[in-house]
Amino acid sequence: QVQLVESGGGSVQPGGSLRLSCAAAGFTLRNYAIGWFRQAPGKEREGVGCIGESDSYTDYADSVKGRFTISRDNDRKTVYLQMNNLKPEDTAVYYCNAQSPAGTDYWGQGTQVTVSS
């Protein structure tokens, strides 16, 4: 059974950093593209960034490019979202998404990130 569990969220001041983790189970992580998404109150879910199968590429939304980095540790079956220089507009629930080679999407439960003074 495919399972994704996000962790690492919390409250930070602007300019601070957090590293989110997405623990994966039930599939071979390297074979899946992984995306990070976020949803702020009253807003639609938006893509933050993604990492391709076998780490073939990474891509980021313009709003986070240069500040956020996605990586994965296949041995630990964990995907990370390193977030630096956080801004108040980064406040949202962050979700990990795994897309199988067949195109099936799996989602974690989300973890809250709050950036405020």
Side-chain angles (χ1 to χ4, degrees):
Q1 180 176 325
V2 172
Q3 185 178 31
L4 301 171
V5 180
E6 300 97 331
S7 63
S11 297
V12 297
Q13 295 182 342
S17 297
L18 285 173
R19 188 176 75 163
L20 306 184
S21 298
C22 175
F27 63 98
T28 302
L29 181 61
R30 69 173 63 87
N31 294 337
Y32 284 62
I34 305 297
W36 283 95
F37 295 77
R38 66 188 182 187
Q39 187 167 19
K43 303 293 184 181
E44 297 297 317
R45 186 177 298 182
E46 64 177 349
V48 174
C50 60
I51 185 167
E53 298 176 11
S54 301
D55 300 344
S56 55
Y57 68 90
T58 53
D59 198 14
Y60 303 93
D62 288 342
S63 59
V64 307
K65 194 169 186 178
R67 300 187 296 119
F68 291 10
T69 302
I70 298 172
S71 62
R72 73 171 101 199
D73 185 330
N74 292 317
D75 291 334
R76 298 184 66 180
K77 294 183 283 188
T78 302
V79 179
Y80 303 98
L81 179 65
Q82 178 67 47
M83 305 184 295
N84 298 326
N85 192 24
L86 284 161
K87 304 175 180 180
E89 52 263 43
D90 295 320
T91 296
V93 177
Y94 283 71
Y95 298 90
C96 178
N97 165 267
Q99 186 171 76
S100 75
T104 301
D105 287 297
Y106 301 92
W107 296 90
Q109 85 290 345
T111 185
Q112 176 71 48
V113 172
T114 301
V115 185
S116 65
S117 299

